[in-house]
Amino acid sequence: MKGWMGKFRALFLLGSLSLILSGCGVDKLSALKPDGYGAELLYDLMILSIAIMIFVFIVVMAIYTFVLIRYRRKKGQEDFIPKQTEGNKVLEIIWTVIPIILLLVLAVPTVQAVFDLAETSSDEADIRIDVTSAQFWWQFDYAGEEISTSQELYIPKGERVYLTMKSADVIHSFWVPSIAGKMDTNPGDNENTMYLEAKEEGVYWGQCTELCGPSHSLMDFRVVVVSPEEYEQWVNDMKNADPEATPDTQVAQEGQEIFQNNCMSCHAIGAQPKGVGPNLTNFGDRAKVAGILEPTKENIKNWILNPNEYKPGNTMPANLVNEEEAGKVAEYLMQLKPSEITPESAQ
Ligand code: CUA
């Protein structure tokens, strides 16, 4: 009896824990709240397969309960042996045909979706973006536009955006659960492709979903979905972003000089050649620094001084500049906002 109670208690604990955990999560990071073509396709398949599962479960449990009650050994009939039968053609056909039908109901839309999601090229002049993952950040290069961003991917609502994806180091995986399915990014020449088609404007979170090192959990990014007109304006603003533009404040100007002397061997601003570090053209739009910190001047300064404290395993060197210089660079970076179209305006 005691062992049974113990098991029950463990089950109860596990059950309530999973209930509590199911309440966790971010609104714009959920496959259960689809706002994109691919995500809706996958959501419908999930609902269909769960519905089939529930149907099978209910039917099996009903038969199970019926047999359990109807054919129990009854009092006074302990020695009764029921009529022995072997094989029943009708029953066997029924329980073979029903699963086949259920599998077909599931398989036809699944295969359709697989082919639909694999349509990752089109002849029209559409938006193509090269996605490059690295430990532990994302870069997005807009083909033909000479625009690069990191950590933030701007796309227009209602248009199909084609992605070509690869990794600069280990395998990562690109996932914006509210907009589309997920796709691995591989090192080497093995490029993967997929598309995004967002149905609502807004800011969505994406996440690396392949364990890729100590800061895997910090490897997130945002997808900013704006109207086609706003997207066009954003593209123009980004194209015109001048890496040499003089910042407004004296401190930021000094920060710019320090940045140019110490940081630009790895980082690019505007259409400068791709560095081994993130492109920082619109750094001022970021909602987080290092995937975890609020983008305040103090936090950015501390991050520049000691990156590994906040994002273990990343490749940015520590103490390239002193504390005063890091503060100035932080001020410079915070004012890098080339466009009025920002994640805030999209929300
Ligand atoms: Cu990149 Cu996990």
Side-chain angles (χ1 to χ4, degrees):
M1 188 68 182
K2 228 180 177 181
W4 186 83
M5 277 300 280
K7 256 180 218 161
F8 181 74
R9 213 175 288 165
L11 204 71
F12 178 75
L13 211 72
L14 215 70
S16 25
L17 211 65
S18 41
L19 260 184
I20 292 168
L21 283 176
S22 67
C24 296
V26 180
D27 193 29
K28 297 285 190 181
L29 180 70
S30 173
L32 301 178
K33 287 179 184 158
D35 267 345
Y37 180 80
E40 274 178 9
L41 214 59
L42 297 174
Y43 178 80
D44 291 345
L45 283 178
M46 269 193 273
I47 296 297
L48 177 67
S49 55
I50 289 171
I52 291 175
M53 271 191 276
I54 291 173
F55 169 74
V56 170
F57 181 78
I58 288 175
V59 168
V60 169
M61 287 322 271
I63 297 172
Y64 171 80
T65 315
F66 170 76
V67 170
L68 206 67
I69 292 168
R70 174 76 176 72
Y71 298 102
R72 300 179 68 186
R73 188 162 64 178
K74 294 181 183 78
K75 261 205 176 128
Q77 288 188 353
E78 278 85 356
D79 296 328
F80 171 73
I81 295 177
K83 188 183 142 210
Q84 303 294 299
T85 49
E86 196 188 317
N88 184 319
K89 234 181 219 159
V90 177
L91 272 180
E92 278 163 26
I93 288 174
I94 289 176
W95 68 53
T96 307
V97 167
I98 289 178
I100 290 175
I101 293 173
L102 290 179
L103 280 179
L104 281 176
V105 169
L106 188 60
V108 170
T110 303
V111 172
Q112 264 172 353
V114 166
F115 280 95
D116 191 342
L117 293 174
E119 274 304 317
T120 55
S121 65
S122 104
D123 301 329
E124 290 162 47
D126 31 45
I127 301 163
R128 293 160 203 276
I129 300 168
D130 293 325
V131 177
T132 311
S133 58
Q135 286 168 320
F136 300 92
W137 54 280
W138 300 88
Q139 173 131 336
F140 308 108
D141 300 307
Y142 290 69
E145 302 282 16
E146 298 203 323
I147 296 176
S148 295
T149 67
S150 52
Q151 297 304 87
E152 255 141 39
L153 175 63
Y154 283 71
I155 60 171
K157 172 187 158 182
E159 277 177 48
R160 223 162 250 207
V161 176
Y162 294 90
L163 308 179
T164 306
M165 340 181 77
K166 61 178 189 296
S167 169
D169 38 46
V170 300
I171 299 175
H172 303 271
S173 191
F174 177 98
W175 195 30
V176 198
S178 296
I179 298 182
K182 97 173 62 153
M183 185 59 80
D184 275 7
T185 62
N186 301 307
D189 298 330
N190 185 4
E191 287 181 341
N192 278 335
T193 53
M194 70 180 283
Y195 64 80
L196 299 177
E197 186 183 326
K199 292 191 165 177
E200 299 292 335
E201 290 176 32
V203 179
Y204 298 85
W205 283 99
Q207 175 68 43
C208 175
T209 47
E210 181 76 45
L211 185 58
C212 55
S215 292
H216 155 70
S217 66
L218 301 177
M219 192 170 162
D220 57 11
F221 58 99
R222 291 198 292 182
V223 178
V224 184
V225 184
V226 295
S227 69
E229 299 77 39
E230 286 173 317
Y231 177 75
E232 217 157 282
Q233 191 192 330
W234 179 81
V235 167
N236 264 322
D237 293 345
M238 287 293 284
K239 273 183 180 168
N240 294 326
D242 178 10
E244 307 290 338
T246 311
D248 289 340
T249 69
Q250 179 65 31
V251 181
Q253 283 172 29
E254 288 172 35
Q256 182 183 34
E257 207 182 316
I258 300 162
F259 181 87
Q260 285 171 343
N261 292 332
N262 295 280
C263 312
M264 287 193 57
S265 47
C266 297
H267 292 284
I269 291 178
Q272 290 165 342
K274 194 170 175 179
V276 295
N279 182 303
L280 301 176
T281 309
N282 56 348
F283 182 89
D285 292 340
R286 297 234 186 136
K288 283 194 221 168
V289 175
I292 190 162
L293 300 171
E294 290 271 314
T296 64
K297 188 177 165 185
E298 189 65 20
N299 282 340
I300 299 169
K301 185 188 83 182
N302 291 336
W303 153 252
I304 294 170
L305 290 171
N306 195 359
N308 261 282
E309 191 182 323
Y310 303 100
K311 214 182 207 182
N314 88 91
T315 55
M316 182 154 122
N319 297 311
L320 266 182
V321 293
N322 67 34
E323 195 174 339
E324 197 197 340
E325 291 169 328
K328 288 174 181 172
V329 172
E331 184 143 333
Y332 165 62
L333 292 177
M334 284 175 78
Q335 54 87 52
L336 290 175
K337 291 183 183 189
S339 179
E340 303 256 292
I341 311 300
T342 64
E344 282 66 46
S345 74
Q347 250 153 2

